[in-house]
Amino acid sequence: MPHWKKSFPVDLAEEGHFSRREFVRFLAMVSAGFTAGIGYLALRKQPLAGAPDSVAAPVGPLRVCPASELAPGNSRLFTYRDDRDRCILVRTRQGTLKAYRQTCTHLGCSVRWDGQRLECPCHHGYFEVDRGFPVQGPPTRPLSALAAVEQDGFIWVIGDLPKPTLSQEKS
Amino acid sequence: MIPGPKSQLTTAALVAVILIIVIQLYLFETVLAAVLDGQRSVLPGALAVSAVLSIVVLLIALKLPSLDRHY
């Protein structure tokens, strides 16, 4: 028997034994954690960061940047309601202005502009830029959109847009 | 060795618990996505379902007598 086995006479297989009951108790803790998480969401009064706030007062127009600073195919980040309300302004290659909240509708990561689509890097979800609909990956709901206009040489964000639906898309 | 009825029950309990955890994960992900979308009306129902599932898992983990039996 090697020296180290005499010094450490623990059967490694036995040491790593994990009974079914211990395993199921661990899973019970995990399950309780999920329930606690949903309970926290239910008790929390404030909306999550980036989630639309239906009871908040409407915000006035916001001057984001000079129009000359946003070339076609580029994007710019800004905040709208408060510092936590992160949004992204995109000028498409066709020159159209689009503004969305950065919060991915899957699990809340921040989306970014990849030159053609809005990409969520966490789970590789993609949204088309015209209306914010998910086109690939796990997200199933469109991004929260804002109205952006160009006026007097500046780009303004003037308010929230209603969430588009597929029925509106068909009509 | 052919597993006896109690052994099958134990395995069934284990499979049921793992299945419930998968359901809980999917439920939490769905609820979080709905809340991020501003739809908070799903929360009471989801909380009730999740609580029931957790109680079932806890009962299996703490009360089922044959979970550790070896055959």
Side-chain angles (χ1 to χ4, degrees), chain A residues 17 19-25 27-52 54 103-109 138 140-142 163, chain B residues 7 10-11 13-14 17-18 20-21 24-25 27-40 43-44 46-47 50-51 53-55 57-58 60-70:
Chain A
H17 177 70
S19 73
R20 281 185 171 185
R21 189 172 296 278
E22 286 172 323
F23 181 56
V24 171
R25 281 179 180 168
L27 292 182
M29 284 179 55
V30 173
S31 179
F34 282 127
T35 304
I38 295 174
Y40 169 74
L41 292 174
L43 292 175
R44 186 185 161 105
K45 299 297 178 194
Q46 293 179 332
L48 294 174
S54 57
T103 309
C104 177
T105 53
H106 176 222
L107 291 179
C109 295
T140 57
R141 295 181 174 88
K163 278 248 173 182
Chain B
S7 172
T10 304
T11 303
L14 197 59
V17 169
I18 291 171
I20 287 174
I21 293 296
Q24 287 273 44
L25 177 63
L27 183 66
F28 184 75
E29 186 178 324
T30 306
V31 167
L32 186 57
V35 171
L36 283 170
D37 201 35
Q39 298 174 11
R40 296 179 59 85
L43 281 168
L47 181 60
S50 182
L53 292 176
S54 282
I55 290 170
V57 176
L58 281 169
I60 292 173
L62 301 175
K63 296 291 182 187
L64 197 70
S66 61
L67 208 60
D68 284 333
R69 289 190 185 171
H70 299 286

Side-chain angles (χ1 to χ4, degrees), chain A residues 1-10:
Chain A
M1 178 180 287
H3 177 68
W4 64 270
K5 276 198 175 179
K6 289 179 187 169
S7 302
F8 300 95
V10 179

Side-chain angles (χ1 to χ4, degrees), chain A residues 7-120:
Chain A
S7 302
F8 300 95
V10 179
D11 186 346
L12 289 179
E14 194 63 31
E15 187 189 32
H17 177 70
F18 197 58
S19 73
R20 281 185 171 185
R21 189 172 296 278
E22 286 172 323
F23 181 56
V24 171
R25 281 179 180 168
F26 168 73
L27 292 182
M29 284 179 55
V30 173
S31 179
F34 282 127
T35 304
I38 295 174
Y40 169 74
L41 292 174
L43 292 175
R44 186 185 161 105
K45 299 297 178 194
Q46 293 179 332
L48 294 174
D53 190 351
S54 57
V55 296
V59 180
L62 171 74
R63 193 172 72 184
V64 180
C65 66
S68 57
E69 288 186 6
L70 193 63
N74 288 340
S75 68
R76 188 183 182 98
L77 304 180
F78 65 99
T79 56
Y80 186 52
R81 288 185 183 277
D82 53 41
D83 289 343
R84 296 165 59 219
D85 190 16
R86 298 185 306 271
C87 305
I88 184 167
L89 175 69
V90 175
R91 192 193 287 276
T92 63
R93 293 185 193 282
Q94 292 77 30
T96 315
L97 289 172
K98 298 289 177 183
Y100 296 100
R101 290 208 159 74
Q102 269 196 292
T103 309
C104 177
T105 53
H106 176 222
L107 291 179
C109 295
S110 294
V111 298
R112 64 190 180 192
W113 174 242
D114 74 352
Q116 291 183 325
R117 300 178 295 181
L118 291 155
E119 175 199 19
C120 177

